Amino acid sequence: MAGLDHKAGGQAWPVSASPALRTYQRGVTLICNAAFSVATMLVLVDFCLLGISVVARYLANTPITWADELVALSLTAITVLAAPQVLLDKGHIEVDIVTELAKGRLSFLIRLWSSLAVCLTAMLLIFNGWSLAMFSRMIGLLTEGHLELPLWMLQLLMPLGGFLLLPVVILQFWQAVFACNHPETEAVHEPAVLD
């Protein structure tokens, strides 16, 4: 695979890609990997917490009342932190028969539409999430259950998720523009096996 530059996730881009695109791609990959690492750690913590909770409840007869609640709340953080990596790896759902058959301008329009839809969703998460969190903070809402955490802190995960998605959307749009302007590289940006 001469002439390809391999990046994290097994995807390859032609060496002819601009240095700015390649640098931005590396930066976005670092951000996504960091967020995904935190999400992975949260999954492991939740797994351990649930295991300890089961042992405490059924063997020691001393249930940890807040464990299930904490795990349920952390699922939002896990989703928000893992979504950018899934989007970067193109692990989202798509209609394969349409996207694989599309070539040239149609492929570009599909990618543009996809990027625009995710961008609008990210903006919705940022602006609505922020206003919802500030409203909850203003009126002092708490979570239900034993922990009674300030709800606004959890609701700030929504704008965080939007901010994490935006760099990936920008990268995918930039890559689509590059592929449209360089049709000979169209098949190169698909996942490839590292040498």
Side-chain angles (χ1 to χ4, degrees), residues 30-157:
L30 284 174
I31 292 169
C32 290
N33 286 343
F36 193 75
S37 297
V38 174
T40 303
M41 291 303 297
L42 283 173
V43 169
L44 295 174
V45 168
D46 285 355
F47 182 71
C48 292
L49 192 57
L50 286 174
I52 292 168
S53 178
V54 167
V55 169
R57 180 180 305 244
Y58 295 109
L59 295 181
N61 201 24
T62 56
I64 304 172
T65 56
W66 49 267
D68 292 341
E69 187 178 341
L70 189 62
V71 168
L73 295 174
S74 72
L75 289 177
T76 304
I78 291 167
T79 303
V80 162
L81 293 170
Q85 183 68 45
V86 172
L87 183 62
L88 183 67
D89 291 341
K90 299 187 184 348
H92 54 282
I93 298 171
E94 62 181 24
V95 183
D96 294 341
I97 196 163
V98 173
T99 57
E100 287 179 7
L101 292 177
K103 302 289 182 221
R105 295 285 178 199
L106 180 59
S107 175
F108 175 71
L109 289 175
I110 290 172
R111 290 182 193 173
L112 180 64
W113 172 251
S114 172
S115 295
L116 180 63
V118 176
C119 183
L120 290 174
T121 302
M123 299 306 280
L124 185 72
L125 287 171
I126 291 169
F127 291 112
N128 285 357
W130 179 260
S131 63
L132 181 65
M134 292 304 102
F135 178 74
S136 296
R137 182 178 182 201
M138 183 181 69
I139 63 175
L141 285 178
L142 301 173
T143 61
E144 294 181 9
H146 298 286
L147 293 177
E148 293 188 345
L149 299 170
L151 190 59
W152 68 272
M153 290 181 178
L154 299 171
Q155 290 170 336
L156 282 178
L157 290 169

Side-chain angles (χ1 to χ4, degrees), residues 3 13-19 22 178 182 184-185:
W13 271 89
V15 176
S16 63
S18 72
R22 292 160 48 108
F178 178 83
H182 300 85
E184 69 279 359
T185 64

